[in-house]
Amino acid sequence: VECTGLPGHSPLGIEGEGEGELLHVPRSIIFHALPQRGAAIAVRVFERLGWADGTLSFFAYENQHNGDTEFVRQRVEAQTNGSAIGTGSVVVRGSASKSELFSILEQTDYFFYPVTAHDGTIHKDTFANVVAEALAHGVIVVAPPVAALPDIYHDHVVFVAPPDGQKPLELTDRSPIPNVDSAYTSEATVRAYAEAIQRLEADPVAKEAHRARGTEWARRIFQWGAITSAFYRDVTVGVSNVCHGNLPRKPEARDWSFVAPPI
């Protein structure tokens, strides 16, 4: 992320807390993370929603080849030859600069971020810059409560866990190492994502209140002054603990937010 280096500015491309109204295109969805962090599941959720007037846009990995990109390409081909009907548009837009991406985010309704590859491998975020970027630009983020995400983003993200009957592995919650967990790729979980979004769509007032609250929070928290002060504080505490032999236990996945800007 480009940064100005000026006090009070943000590494997320926004100048401050701000009150300007952002105009988000209804039913527009973005996926601007690495494809293995949920591209295929994002498509499955989008198709489950059945938004004929919706658009799901992918960025920045047109030259990658893996299970997720192949899944997306197949859906785009099906759309092109007319076999995908009533599911809206799935578009691979390619690379964009940060400034271009931030402008696009300001017009986008949702960011689907399942953090789960097509093969079921769970990505264990320690911060997720893509989430911070989306929130700061007024995008509603939908993701699973995995690794450090709940500890960092709290209820500013719409968290969707696998429903009853789809019990995640203990390793998924306890280990910082990526692992395969089919609970996060199941049809029941895809349906749970879609239902969470449909609940928001059914209550526009609550939806926009959630968006405004997340945007205000991200713009207030992710300023250089706040980040550097918190980083200095935690480094000082960490060095003191090491010097006094007060070493922490081996961190679990949920503990790994300590490497991100503390909030």
Side-chain angles (χ1 to χ4, degrees), residues 189-224:
T189 298
V190 169
R191 183 170 60 250
Y193 277 117
E195 290 171 350
I197 295 161
Q198 288 165 341
R199 285 193 293 272
L200 276 177
E201 290 292 300
D203 190 343
V205 173
K207 173 186 174 182
E208 295 311 314
H210 178 91
R211 187 196 309 279
R213 188 163 49 82
T215 304
E216 185 279 329
W217 175 83
R219 291 187 172 200
R220 172 169 47 82
I221 291 296
F222 299 119
Q223 297 293 320
W224 280 119

PDB file of all heavy atoms in Angstrom, residues 189-224:
ATOM      1  N   THR A 189     -22.814 -24.210   4.013  1.00  0.00           N
ATOM      2  CA  THR A 189     -22.123 -22.970   4.348  1.00  0.00           C
ATOM      3  C   THR A 189     -22.327 -21.916   3.261  1.00  0.00           C
ATOM      4  O   THR A 189     -22.528 -20.731   3.559  1.00  0.00           O
ATOM      5  CB  THR A 189     -20.625 -23.231   4.568  1.00  0.00           C
ATOM      6  OG1 THR A 189     -20.472 -24.126   5.679  1.00  0.00           O
ATOM      7  CG2 THR A 189     -19.870 -21.954   4.847  1.00  0.00           C
ATOM      8  N   VAL A 190     -22.293 -22.328   2.011  1.00  0.00           N
ATOM      9  CA  VAL A 190     -22.590 -21.398   0.915  1.00  0.00           C
ATOM     10  C   VAL A 190     -23.995 -20.823   1.086  1.00  0.00           C
ATOM     11  O   VAL A 190     -24.220 -19.614   0.924  1.00  0.00           O
ATOM     12  CB  VAL A 190     -22.452 -22.102  -0.449  1.00  0.00           C
ATOM     13  CG1 VAL A 190     -23.019 -21.235  -1.577  1.00  0.00           C
ATOM     14  CG2 VAL A 190     -20.994 -22.446  -0.725  1.00  0.00           C
ATOM     15  N   ARG A 191     -24.935 -21.674   1.454  1.00  0.00           N
ATOM     16  CA  ARG A 191     -26.307 -21.206   1.698  1.00  0.00           C
ATOM     17  C   ARG A 191     -26.360 -20.234   2.874  1.00  0.00           C
ATOM     18  O   ARG A 191     -27.081 -19.224   2.829  1.00  0.00           O
ATOM     19  CB  ARG A 191     -27.224 -22.406   1.959  1.00  0.00           C
ATOM     20  CG  ARG A 191     -28.688 -22.021   2.148  1.00  0.00           C
ATOM     21  CD  ARG A 191     -29.593 -23.243   2.157  1.00  0.00           C
ATOM     22  NE  ARG A 191     -29.255 -24.169   3.231  1.00  0.00           N
ATOM     23  CZ  ARG A 191     -28.706 -25.364   3.044  1.00  0.00           C
ATOM     24  NH1 ARG A 191     -28.421 -25.789   1.821  1.00  0.00           N
ATOM     25  NH2 ARG A 191     -28.428 -26.158   4.085  1.00  0.00           N
ATOM     26  N   ALA A 192     -25.565 -20.500   3.915  1.00  0.00           N
ATOM     27  CA  ALA A 192     -25.537 -19.601   5.078  1.00  0.00           C
ATOM     28  C   ALA A 192     -25.007 -18.222   4.697  1.00  0.00           C
ATOM     29  O   ALA A 192     -25.525 -17.202   5.176  1.00  0.00           O
ATOM     30  CB  ALA A 192     -24.678 -20.215   6.184  1.00  0.00           C
ATOM     31  N   TYR A 193     -23.988 -18.173   3.841  1.00  0.00           N
ATOM     32  CA  TYR A 193     -23.504 -16.884   3.339  1.00  0.00           C
ATOM     33  C   TYR A 193     -24.628 -16.140   2.628  1.00  0.00           C
ATOM     34  O   TYR A 193     -24.870 -14.945   2.877  1.00  0.00           O
ATOM     35  CB  TYR A 193     -22.358 -17.092   2.350  1.00  0.00           C
ATOM     36  CG  TYR A 193     -20.996 -17.273   2.960  1.00  0.00           C
ATOM     37  CD1 TYR A 193     -20.290 -18.463   2.802  1.00  0.00           C
ATOM     38  CD2 TYR A 193     -20.385 -16.243   3.671  1.00  0.00           C
ATOM     39  CE1 TYR A 193     -19.023 -18.635   3.340  1.00  0.00           C
ATOM     40  CE2 TYR A 193     -19.112 -16.401   4.205  1.00  0.00           C
ATOM     41  CZ  TYR A 193     -18.445 -17.599   4.037  1.00  0.00           C
ATOM     42  OH  TYR A 193     -17.190 -17.765   4.577  1.00  0.00           O
ATOM     43  N   ALA A 194     -25.293 -16.828   1.720  1.00  0.00           N
ATOM     44  CA  ALA A 194     -26.350 -16.192   0.939  1.00  0.00           C
ATOM     45  C   ALA A 194     -27.480 -15.699   1.835  1.00  0.00           C
ATOM     46  O   ALA A 194     -28.008 -14.593   1.643  1.00  0.00           O
ATOM     47  CB  ALA A 194     -26.881 -17.172  -0.105  1.00  0.00           C
ATOM     48  N   GLU A 195     -27.834 -16.487   2.830  1.00  0.00           N
ATOM     49  CA  GLU A 195     -28.915 -16.092   3.730  1.00  0.00           C
ATOM     50  C   GLU A 195     -28.542 -14.871   4.555  1.00  0.00           C
ATOM     51  O   GLU A 195     -29.386 -13.998   4.812  1.00  0.00           O
ATOM     52  CB  GLU A 195     -29.295 -17.264   4.635  1.00  0.00           C
ATOM     53  CG  GLU A 195     -29.994 -18.388   3.886  1.00  0.00           C
ATOM     54  CD  GLU A 195     -30.182 -19.642   4.727  1.00  0.00           C
ATOM     55  OE1 GLU A 195     -29.584 -19.698   5.841  1.00  0.00           O
ATOM     56  OE2 GLU A 195     -30.894 -20.558   4.286  1.00  0.00           O
ATOM     57  N   ALA A 196     -27.270 -14.766   4.976  1.00  0.00           N
ATOM     58  CA  ALA A 196     -26.823 -13.596   5.731  1.00  0.00           C
ATOM     59  C   ALA A 196     -26.941 -12.332   4.878  1.00  0.00           C
ATOM     60  O   ALA A 196     -27.363 -11.268   5.363  1.00  0.00           O
ATOM     61  CB  ALA A 196     -25.390 -13.793   6.202  1.00  0.00           C
ATOM     62  N   ILE A 197     -26.583 -12.452   3.617  1.00  0.00           N
ATOM     63  CA  ILE A 197     -26.669 -11.300   2.712  1.00  0.00           C
ATOM     64  C   ILE A 197     -28.128 -10.952   2.425  1.00  0.00           C
ATOM     65  O   ILE A 197     -28.507  -9.771   2.379  1.00  0.00           O
ATOM     66  CB  ILE A 197     -25.904 -11.607   1.412  1.00  0.00           C
ATOM     67  CG1 ILE A 197     -24.412 -11.763   1.727  1.00  0.00           C
ATOM     68  CG2 ILE A 197     -26.111 -10.498   0.379  1.00  0.00           C
ATOM     69  CD1 ILE A 197     -23.637 -12.493   0.670  1.00  0.00           C
ATOM     70  N   GLN A 198     -28.958 -11.973   2.248  1.00  0.00           N
ATOM     71  CA  GLN A 198     -30.377 -11.723   2.001  1.00  0.00           C
ATOM     72  C   GLN A 198     -31.052 -11.018   3.174  1.00  0.00           C
ATOM     73  O   GLN A 198     -31.936 -10.179   2.984  1.00  0.00           O
ATOM     74  CB  GLN A 198     -31.081 -13.048   1.686  1.00  0.00           C
ATOM     75  CG  GLN A 198     -30.725 -13.595   0.314  1.00  0.00           C
ATOM     76  CD  GLN A 198     -31.115 -15.051   0.128  1.00  0.00           C
ATOM     77  OE1 GLN A 198     -31.333 -15.789   1.109  1.00  0.00           O
ATOM     78  NE2 GLN A 198     -31.194 -15.494  -1.127  1.00  0.00           N
ATOM     79  N   ARG A 199     -30.601 -11.327   4.394  1.00  0.00           N
ATOM     80  CA  ARG A 199     -31.158 -10.633   5.566  1.00  0.00           C
ATOM     81  C   ARG A 199     -30.802  -9.148   5.525  1.00  0.00           C
ATOM     82  O   ARG A 199     -31.630  -8.292   5.864  1.00  0.00           O
ATOM     83  CB  ARG A 199     -30.646 -11.280   6.857  1.00  0.00           C
ATOM     84  CG  ARG A 199     -31.301 -12.613   7.184  1.00  0.00           C
ATOM     85  CD  ARG A 199     -30.998 -13.062   8.598  1.00  0.00           C
ATOM     86  NE  ARG A 199     -29.594 -13.389   8.783  1.00  0.00           N
ATOM     87  CZ  ARG A 199     -29.071 -14.591   8.558  1.00  0.00           C
ATOM     88  NH1 ARG A 199     -29.840 -15.592   8.139  1.00  0.00           N
ATOM     89  NH2 ARG A 199     -27.781 -14.824   8.770  1.00  0.00           N
ATOM     90  N   LEU A 200     -29.583  -8.845   5.128  1.00  0.00           N
ATOM     91  CA  LEU A 200     -29.198  -7.442   4.995  1.00  0.00           C
ATOM     92  C   LEU A 200     -30.017  -6.756   3.911  1.00  0.00           C
ATOM     93  O   LEU A 200     -30.495  -5.628   4.088  1.00  0.00           O
ATOM     94  CB  LEU A 200     -27.716  -7.326   4.657  1.00  0.00           C
ATOM     95  CG  LEU A 200     -26.706  -7.375   5.801  1.00  0.00           C
ATOM     96  CD1 LEU A 200     -25.292  -7.309   5.244  1.00  0.00           C
ATOM     97  CD2 LEU A 200     -26.929  -6.239   6.788  1.00  0.00           C
ATOM     98  N   GLU A 201     -30.180  -7.427   2.779  1.00  0.00           N
ATOM     99  CA  GLU A 201     -30.920  -6.841   1.669  1.00  0.00           C
ATOM    100  C   GLU A 201     -32.386  -6.595   2.034  1.00  0.00           C
ATOM    101  O   GLU A 201     -33.017  -5.676   1.518  1.00  0.00           O
ATOM    102  CB  GLU A 201     -30.838  -7.755   0.443  1.00  0.00           C
ATOM    103  CG  GLU A 201     -29.465  -7.807  -0.190  1.00  0.00           C
ATOM    104  CD  GLU A 201     -29.069  -6.498  -0.837  1.00  0.00           C
ATOM    105  OE1 GLU A 201     -29.789  -6.045  -1.757  1.00  0.00           O
ATOM    106  OE2 GLU A 201     -28.054  -5.908  -0.413  1.00  0.00           O
ATOM    107  N   ALA A 202     -32.914  -7.405   2.947  1.00  0.00           N
ATOM    108  CA  ALA A 202     -34.317  -7.265   3.342  1.00  0.00           C
ATOM    109  C   ALA A 202     -34.540  -6.079   4.281  1.00  0.00           C
ATOM    110  O   ALA A 202     -35.685  -5.673   4.506  1.00  0.00           O
ATOM    111  CB  ALA A 202     -34.800  -8.552   4.015  1.00  0.00           C
ATOM    112  N   ASP A 203     -33.461  -5.525   4.823  1.00  0.00           N
ATOM    113  CA  ASP A 203     -33.580  -4.388   5.758  1.00  0.00           C
ATOM    114  C   ASP A 203     -32.572  -3.319   5.339  1.00  0.00           C
ATOM    115  O   ASP A 203     -31.477  -3.219   5.919  1.00  0.00           O
ATOM    116  CB  ASP A 203     -33.304  -4.861   7.188  1.00  0.00           C
ATOM    117  CG  ASP A 203     -33.641  -3.801   8.229  1.00  0.00           C
ATOM    118  OD1 ASP A 203     -33.779  -2.612   7.854  1.00  0.00           O
ATOM    119  OD2 ASP A 203     -33.771  -4.156   9.417  1.00  0.00           O
ATOM    120  N   PRO A 204     -32.921  -2.495   4.354  1.00  0.00           N
ATOM    121  CA  PRO A 204     -31.970  -1.491   3.839  1.00  0.00           C
ATOM    122  C   PRO A 204     -31.458  -0.527   4.897  1.00  0.00           C
ATOM    123  O   PRO A 204     -30.303  -0.098   4.834  1.00  0.00           O
ATOM    124  CB  PRO A 204     -32.798  -0.753   2.777  1.00  0.00           C
ATOM    125  CG  PRO A 204     -33.862  -1.721   2.365  1.00  0.00           C
ATOM    126  CD  PRO A 204     -34.192  -2.491   3.608  1.00  0.00           C
ATOM    127  N   VAL A 205     -32.298  -0.190   5.877  1.00  0.00           N
ATOM    128  CA  VAL A 205     -31.858   0.734   6.920  1.00  0.00           C
ATOM    129  C   VAL A 205     -30.740   0.109   7.750  1.00  0.00           C
ATOM    130  O   VAL A 205     -29.702   0.727   8.015  1.00  0.00           O
ATOM    131  CB  VAL A 205     -33.040   1.146   7.824  1.00  0.00           C
ATOM    132  CG1 VAL A 205     -32.540   1.980   9.002  1.00  0.00           C
ATOM    133  CG2 VAL A 205     -34.077   1.930   7.020  1.00  0.00           C
ATOM    134  N   ALA A 206     -30.942  -1.152   8.171  1.00  0.00           N
ATOM    135  CA  ALA A 206     -29.907  -1.852   8.945  1.00  0.00           C
ATOM    136  C   ALA A 206     -28.654  -2.068   8.104  1.00  0.00           C
ATOM    137  O   ALA A 206     -27.528  -1.963   8.611  1.00  0.00           O
ATOM    138  CB  ALA A 206     -30.453  -3.187   9.438  1.00  0.00           C
ATOM    139  N   LYS A 207     -28.832  -2.354   6.829  1.00  0.00           N
ATOM    140  CA  LYS A 207     -27.693  -2.560   5.934  1.00  0.00           C
ATOM    141  C   LYS A 207     -26.827  -1.308   5.861  1.00  0.00           C
ATOM    142  O   LYS A 207     -25.593  -1.374   6.024  1.00  0.00           O
ATOM    143  CB  LYS A 207     -28.183  -2.942   4.535  1.00  0.00           C
ATOM    144  CG  LYS A 207     -27.080  -3.027   3.483  1.00  0.00           C
ATOM    145  CD  LYS A 207     -27.653  -3.272   2.102  1.00  0.00           C
ATOM    146  CE  LYS A 207     -26.565  -3.210   1.040  1.00  0.00           C
ATOM    147  NZ  LYS A 207     -27.101  -3.397  -0.332  1.00  0.00           N
ATOM    148  N   GLU A 208     -27.435  -0.171   5.625  1.00  0.00           N
ATOM    149  CA  GLU A 208     -26.672   1.065   5.493  1.00  0.00           C
ATOM    150  C   GLU A 208     -26.094   1.521   6.824  1.00  0.00           C
ATOM    151  O   GLU A 208     -25.028   2.142   6.867  1.00  0.00           O
ATOM    152  CB  GLU A 208     -27.526   2.156   4.850  1.00  0.00           C
ATOM    153  CG  GLU A 208     -27.915   1.853   3.412  1.00  0.00           C
ATOM    154  CD  GLU A 208     -26.726   1.432   2.554  1.00  0.00           C
ATOM    155  OE1 GLU A 208     -25.657   2.093   2.624  1.00  0.00           O
ATOM    156  OE2 GLU A 208     -26.831   0.437   1.822  1.00  0.00           O
ATOM    157  N   ALA A 209     -26.776   1.204   7.919  1.00  0.00           N
ATOM    158  CA  ALA A 209     -26.224   1.521   9.241  1.00  0.00           C
ATOM    159  C   ALA A 209     -24.970   0.701   9.496  1.00  0.00           C
ATOM    160  O   ALA A 209     -23.977   1.205  10.051  1.00  0.00           O
ATOM    161  CB  ALA A 209     -27.271   1.255  10.320  1.00  0.00           C
ATOM    162  N   HIS A 210     -25.004  -0.569   9.109  1.00  0.00           N
ATOM    163  CA  HIS A 210     -23.821  -1.429   9.250  1.00  0.00           C
ATOM    164  C   HIS A 210     -22.678  -0.881   8.405  1.00  0.00           C
ATOM    165  O   HIS A 210     -21.528  -0.807   8.872  1.00  0.00           O
ATOM    166  CB  HIS A 210     -24.162  -2.855   8.816  1.00  0.00           C
ATOM    167  CG  HIS A 210     -23.004  -3.796   8.890  1.00  0.00           C
ATOM    168  ND1 HIS A 210     -22.729  -4.553  10.011  1.00  0.00           N
ATOM    169  CD2 HIS A 210     -22.027  -4.081   7.994  1.00  0.00           C
ATOM    170  CE1 HIS A 210     -21.636  -5.269   9.792  1.00  0.00           C
ATOM    171  NE2 HIS A 210     -21.201  -5.004   8.574  1.00  0.00           N
ATOM    172  N   ARG A 211     -22.965  -0.495   7.175  1.00  0.00           N
ATOM    173  CA  ARG A 211     -21.932   0.055   6.291  1.00  0.00           C
ATOM    174  C   ARG A 211     -21.307   1.314   6.904  1.00  0.00           C
ATOM    175  O   ARG A 211     -20.085   1.452   6.965  1.00  0.00           O
ATOM    176  CB  ARG A 211     -22.553   0.400   4.934  1.00  0.00           C
ATOM    177  CG  ARG A 211     -21.512   0.828   3.893  1.00  0.00           C
ATOM    178  CD  ARG A 211     -22.132   1.526   2.692  1.00  0.00           C
ATOM    179  NE  ARG A 211     -23.214   0.803   2.090  1.00  0.00           N
ATOM    180  CZ  ARG A 211     -23.092  -0.206   1.233  1.00  0.00           C
ATOM    181  NH1 ARG A 211     -21.881  -0.632   0.909  1.00  0.00           N
ATOM    182  NH2 ARG A 211     -24.154  -0.795   0.724  1.00  0.00           N
ATOM    183  N   ALA A 212     -22.154   2.234   7.370  1.00  0.00           N
ATOM    184  CA  ALA A 212     -21.665   3.502   7.904  1.00  0.00           C
ATOM    185  C   ALA A 212     -20.809   3.291   9.149  1.00  0.00           C
ATOM    186  O   ALA A 212     -19.774   3.937   9.331  1.00  0.00           O
ATOM    187  CB  ALA A 212     -22.845   4.425   8.215  1.00  0.00           C
ATOM    188  N   ARG A 213     -21.229   2.359   9.993  1.00  0.00           N
ATOM    189  CA  ARG A 213     -20.491   2.091  11.228  1.00  0.00           C
ATOM    190  C   ARG A 213     -19.110   1.502  10.921  1.00  0.00           C
ATOM    191  O   ARG A 213     -18.106   1.888  11.530  1.00  0.00           O
ATOM    192  CB  ARG A 213     -21.310   1.146  12.107  1.00  0.00           C
ATOM    193  CG  ARG A 213     -20.756   0.930  13.493  1.00  0.00           C
ATOM    194  CD  ARG A 213     -21.818   0.343  14.415  1.00  0.00           C
ATOM    195  NE  ARG A 213     -22.487  -0.800  13.822  1.00  0.00           N
ATOM    196  CZ  ARG A 213     -22.003  -2.044  13.823  1.00  0.00           C
ATOM    197  NH1 ARG A 213     -20.854  -2.295  14.433  1.00  0.00           N
ATOM    198  NH2 ARG A 213     -22.669  -3.031  13.266  1.00  0.00           N
ATOM    199  N   GLY A 214     -19.056   0.568   9.977  1.00  0.00           N
ATOM    200  CA  GLY A 214     -17.775  -0.027   9.611  1.00  0.00           C
ATOM    201  C   GLY A 214     -16.838   0.968   8.957  1.00  0.00           C
ATOM    202  O   GLY A 214     -15.627   0.968   9.216  1.00  0.00           O
ATOM    203  N   THR A 215     -17.387   1.830   8.116  1.00  0.00           N
ATOM    204  CA  THR A 215     -16.569   2.836   7.441  1.00  0.00           C
ATOM    205  C   THR A 215     -15.986   3.831   8.434  1.00  0.00           C
ATOM    206  O   THR A 215     -14.793   4.146   8.406  1.00  0.00           O
ATOM    207  CB  THR A 215     -17.410   3.592   6.394  1.00  0.00           C
ATOM    208  OG1 THR A 215     -17.977   2.660   5.475  1.00  0.00           O
ATOM    209  CG2 THR A 215     -16.551   4.587   5.621  1.00  0.00           C
ATOM    210  N   GLU A 216     -16.821   4.321   9.337  1.00  0.00           N
ATOM    211  CA  GLU A 216     -16.362   5.284  10.338  1.00  0.00           C
ATOM    212  C   GLU A 216     -15.267   4.673  11.204  1.00  0.00           C
ATOM    213  O   GLU A 216     -14.249   5.304  11.486  1.00  0.00           O
ATOM    214  CB  GLU A 216     -17.543   5.737  11.205  1.00  0.00           C
ATOM    215  CG  GLU A 216     -17.208   6.827  12.215  1.00  0.00           C
ATOM    216  CD  GLU A 216     -16.540   6.301  13.480  1.00  0.00           C
ATOM    217  OE1 GLU A 216     -16.844   5.147  13.882  1.00  0.00           O
ATOM    218  OE2 GLU A 216     -15.689   7.027  14.068  1.00  0.00           O
ATOM    219  N   TRP A 217     -15.465   3.437  11.619  1.00  0.00           N
ATOM    220  CA  TRP A 217     -14.497   2.749  12.474  1.00  0.00           C
ATOM    221  C   TRP A 217     -13.154   2.600  11.763  1.00  0.00           C
ATOM    222  O   TRP A 217     -12.098   2.915  12.318  1.00  0.00           O
ATOM    223  CB  TRP A 217     -15.049   1.393  12.880  1.00  0.00           C
ATOM    224  CG  TRP A 217     -14.097   0.547  13.655  1.00  0.00           C
ATOM    225  CD1 TRP A 217     -13.842   0.595  15.002  1.00  0.00           C
ATOM    226  CD2 TRP A 217     -13.264  -0.503  13.133  1.00  0.00           C
ATOM    227  NE1 TRP A 217     -12.905  -0.354  15.344  1.00  0.00           N
ATOM    228  CE2 TRP A 217     -12.536  -1.040  14.218  1.00  0.00           C
ATOM    229  CE3 TRP A 217     -13.080  -1.026  11.860  1.00  0.00           C
ATOM    230  CZ2 TRP A 217     -11.626  -2.075  14.058  1.00  0.00           C
ATOM    231  CZ3 TRP A 217     -12.165  -2.064  11.691  1.00  0.00           C
ATOM    232  CH2 TRP A 217     -11.451  -2.573  12.784  1.00  0.00           C
ATOM    233  N   ALA A 218     -13.173   2.096  10.521  1.00  0.00           N
ATOM    234  CA  ALA A 218     -11.931   1.864   9.781  1.00  0.00           C
ATOM    235  C   ALA A 218     -11.196   3.172   9.527  1.00  0.00           C
ATOM    236  O   ALA A 218      -9.967   3.246   9.660  1.00  0.00           O
ATOM    237  CB  ALA A 218     -12.228   1.153   8.466  1.00  0.00           C
ATOM    238  N   ARG A 219     -11.914   4.215   9.184  1.00  0.00           N
ATOM    239  CA  ARG A 219     -11.263   5.498   8.899  1.00  0.00           C
ATOM    240  C   ARG A 219     -10.687   6.144  10.157  1.00  0.00           C
ATOM    241  O   ARG A 219      -9.704   6.868  10.087  1.00  0.00           O
ATOM    242  CB  ARG A 219     -12.270   6.439   8.233  1.00  0.00           C
ATOM    243  CG  ARG A 219     -12.647   5.981   6.833  1.00  0.00           C
ATOM    244  CD  ARG A 219     -13.497   7.003   6.119  1.00  0.00           C
ATOM    245  NE  ARG A 219     -13.668   6.611   4.720  1.00  0.00           N
ATOM    246  CZ  ARG A 219     -14.027   7.445   3.757  1.00  0.00           C
ATOM    247  NH1 ARG A 219     -14.252   8.722   4.047  1.00  0.00           N
ATOM    248  NH2 ARG A 219     -14.166   7.021   2.523  1.00  0.00           N
ATOM    249  N   ARG A 220     -11.298   5.856  11.269  1.00  0.00           N
ATOM    250  CA  ARG A 220     -10.792   6.406  12.523  1.00  0.00           C
ATOM    251  C   ARG A 220      -9.593   5.611  13.034  1.00  0.00           C
ATOM    252  O   ARG A 220      -8.624   6.178  13.544  1.00  0.00           O
ATOM    253  CB  ARG A 220     -11.918   6.407  13.572  1.00  0.00           C
ATOM    254  CG  ARG A 220     -11.466   6.768  14.981  1.00  0.00           C
ATOM    255  CD  ARG A 220     -12.667   7.005  15.879  1.00  0.00           C
ATOM    256  NE  ARG A 220     -13.674   5.964  15.759  1.00  0.00           N
ATOM    257  CZ  ARG A 220     -13.639   4.792  16.390  1.00  0.00           C
ATOM    258  NH1 ARG A 220     -12.625   4.509  17.202  1.00  0.00           N
ATOM    259  NH2 ARG A 220     -14.611   3.904  16.220  1.00  0.00           N
ATOM    260  N   ILE A 221      -9.653   4.290  12.906  1.00  0.00           N
ATOM    261  CA  ILE A 221      -8.622   3.422  13.473  1.00  0.00           C
ATOM    262  C   ILE A 221      -7.352   3.396  12.630  1.00  0.00           C
ATOM    263  O   ILE A 221      -6.238   3.456  13.156  1.00  0.00           O
ATOM    264  CB  ILE A 221      -9.169   1.991  13.637  1.00  0.00           C
ATOM    265  CG1 ILE A 221     -10.236   1.946  14.734  1.00  0.00           C
ATOM    266  CG2 ILE A 221      -8.045   1.002  13.939  1.00  0.00           C
ATOM    267  CD1 ILE A 221      -9.719   2.290  16.109  1.00  0.00           C
ATOM    268  N   PHE A 222      -7.498   3.296  11.314  1.00  0.00           N
ATOM    269  CA  PHE A 222      -6.335   3.061  10.464  1.00  0.00           C
ATOM    270  C   PHE A 222      -5.722   4.367   9.966  1.00  0.00           C
ATOM    271  O   PHE A 222      -5.638   4.626   8.762  1.00  0.00           O
ATOM    272  CB  PHE A 222      -6.702   2.126   9.314  1.00  0.00           C
ATOM    273  CG  PHE A 222      -7.166   0.783   9.783  1.00  0.00           C
ATOM    274  CD1 PHE A 222      -8.448   0.329   9.489  1.00  0.00           C
ATOM    275  CD2 PHE A 222      -6.341  -0.017  10.551  1.00  0.00           C
ATOM    276  CE1 PHE A 222      -8.874  -0.903   9.941  1.00  0.00           C
ATOM    277  CE2 PHE A 222      -6.762  -1.251  11.009  1.00  0.00           C
ATOM    278  CZ  PHE A 222      -8.038  -1.699  10.705  1.00  0.00           C
ATOM    279  N   GLN A 223      -5.291   5.194  10.901  1.00  0.00           N
ATOM    280  CA  GLN A 223      -4.518   6.397  10.632  1.00  0.00           C
ATOM    281  C   GLN A 223      -3.085   6.144  11.078  1.00  0.00           C
ATOM    282  O   GLN A 223      -2.837   5.421  12.044  1.00  0.00           O
ATOM    283  CB  GLN A 223      -5.112   7.581  11.400  1.00  0.00           C
ATOM    284  CG  GLN A 223      -6.523   7.945  10.983  1.00  0.00           C
ATOM    285  CD  GLN A 223      -6.583   8.497   9.570  1.00  0.00           C
ATOM    286  OE1 GLN A 223      -5.720   9.263   9.175  1.00  0.00           O
ATOM    287  NE2 GLN A 223      -7.590   8.100   8.824  1.00  0.00           N
ATOM    288  N   TRP A 224      -2.133   6.752  10.385  1.00  0.00           N
ATOM    289  CA  TRP A 224      -0.724   6.479  10.699  1.00  0.00           C
ATOM    290  C   TRP A 224      -0.397   6.757  12.151  1.00  0.00           C
ATOM    291  O   TRP A 224       0.334   6.016  12.805  1.00  0.00           O
ATOM    292  CB  TRP A 224       0.190   7.305   9.790  1.00  0.00           C
ATOM    293  CG  TRP A 224       0.354   6.722   8.427  1.00  0.00           C
ATOM    294  CD1 TRP A 224       0.007   7.296   7.246  1.00  0.00           C
ATOM    295  CD2 TRP A 224       0.900   5.436   8.096  1.00  0.00           C
ATOM    296  NE1 TRP A 224       0.287   6.446   6.199  1.00  0.00           N
ATOM    297  CE2 TRP A 224       0.841   5.304   6.689  1.00  0.00           C
ATOM    298  CE3 TRP A 224       1.421   4.390   8.851  1.00  0.00           C
ATOM    299  CZ2 TRP A 224       1.297   4.178   6.027  1.00  0.00           C
ATOM    300  CZ3 TRP A 224       1.871   3.249   8.188  1.00  0.00           C
ATOM    301  CH2 TRP A 224       1.808   3.150   6.789  1.00  0.00           C
TER     302      TRP A 224
END
